Structure formats: structure tokens, C-alpha cells
Amino acid sequence: MEQDKKKGIITTTGKIVIPVEMLNIKIAYNDNIIMAQKDKNTWVFYTLAGTPLFTKSYRNIQGASEGLISVVNDKKLVGFIDTTGKEIIAPTYKQAFDFAQGFTLVKEQDNKLALISKIGAKIAQLPGKELSSGFS
């Protein structure tokens, strides 16, 4: 639902799942999490039923996959937190895709491309300097 440029989620029975006071809402059904932007740098994370999980400050949330949420800090660097809010991979990348089969492609600060695991271990350095799409 959207009202006065604020967003929220209300069921067909009228139950408020997410208050209509958010700037942006992203839903990751596979990870059973709703990510709602309360103000410029504050994101509130909820279960799909609307139970608040935790609040974190990030510039942006890119998405979630395989239990990890891609976050962007004030320096515009990307990292990953889990669905409890614990930082798993520190925001050190210029760009990153969602995880697929336990791995993701990232662009490092020196513009090199790499394949990393869900714990942040570099699996391989890759040729090229641009990420144009993910993989599966």
C-alpha cells in the first residue's frame, strides 16, 4: 500500500504487516524477510508475517539470497549480513551480485573481478573489469 509517498504492507483482511511509513520496501520470499527503509539510512527487517527482526543503518539494501542480504554503506561499498543482522562479509566491494549456489561475483576496490564464497573467501580472480550480469 502507498499513501502520501509512504509505503507499507496490509493484508486483504486489513491487518497491518508493515506500517505505512516506509520510503521503500523489498521482499525476499526465498529468505522469508522483508526489508523496509524507514528513513535515508535506516532499514528495518521483518519476517514475512511482520514481526520486526532488527534495525540497521545502511545507505541501501540491494537484495537477499541464500540467507545473505547485500548491503551498501555510506562509502558506497557492498558487503553482506545474515538474516539476524550479523555482518558476514564486510562492505569492501564496489559491486556484488546475489549469491547463487554458495558463490557470488564481486568487483573489488582495485576494479578486479573475483568469485567469493558465502564466508567471503576469494575462490578465483577473474579476467576483465566489468560485471554485466550474475550467474547461476
Side-chain angles (χ1 to χ4, degrees), residues 96-134:
F97 286 101
D98 286 343
F99 279 87
Q101 300 176 4
F103 302 98
T104 189
L105 298 172
V106 295
K107 185 178 205 177
E108 298 175 304
Q109 291 184 49
D110 61 3
N111 291 321
K112 292 181 180 177
L113 304 181
L115 181 69
I116 64 168
S117 71
K118 288 174 70 172
I119 60 168
K122 187 186 295 186
I123 305 302
Q125 195 75 50
L126 304 172
K129 294 199 182 279
E130 292 300 321
L131 292 176
S132 59
S133 64

Side-chain angles (χ1 to χ4, degrees), residues 32-47:
N32 299 312
I33 196 163
I34 298 171
M35 302 156 286
Q37 185 178 12
K38 191 168 187 172
D39 58 40
K40 183 180 177 185
N41 288 318
T42 304
W43 289 80
V44 183
F45 297 79
Y46 297 88
T47 65

Side-chain angles (χ1 to χ4, degrees), residues 5-105:
K5 297 186 180 183
K6 298 288 184 169
K7 299 175 183 180
I9 298 175
I10 299 174
T11 67
T12 55
T13 62
K15 178 185 177 227
I16 296 173
V17 177
I18 305 297
V20 185
E21 58 187 36
M22 303 300 172
L23 299 175
N24 192 7
I25 294 176
K26 298 179 182 188
I27 302 172
Y29 291 104
N30 289 340
D31 289 296
N32 299 312
I33 196 163
I34 298 171
M35 302 156 286
Q37 185 178 12
K38 191 168 187 172
D39 58 40
K40 183 180 177 185
N41 288 318
T42 304
W43 289 80
V44 183
F45 297 79
Y46 297 88
T47 65
L48 292 180
T51 304
L53 295 171
F54 57 91
T55 300
K56 288 282 189 177
S57 293
Y58 290 107
R59 180 185 183 104
N60 194 17
I61 303 295
Q62 294 183 322
S65 63
E66 296 190 7
L68 294 178
I69 301 162
S70 176
V71 298
V72 181
N73 68 11
D74 286 335
K75 296 178 182 178
K76 298 183 182 178
L77 296 175
V78 182
F80 294 87
I81 61 174
D82 67 14
T83 56
T84 68
K86 179 182 175 191
E87 185 178 273
I88 303 300
I89 300 171
T92 57
Y93 301 104
K94 283 185 162 182
Q95 190 178 0
F97 286 101
D98 286 343
F99 279 87
Q101 300 176 4
F103 302 98
T104 189
L105 298 172

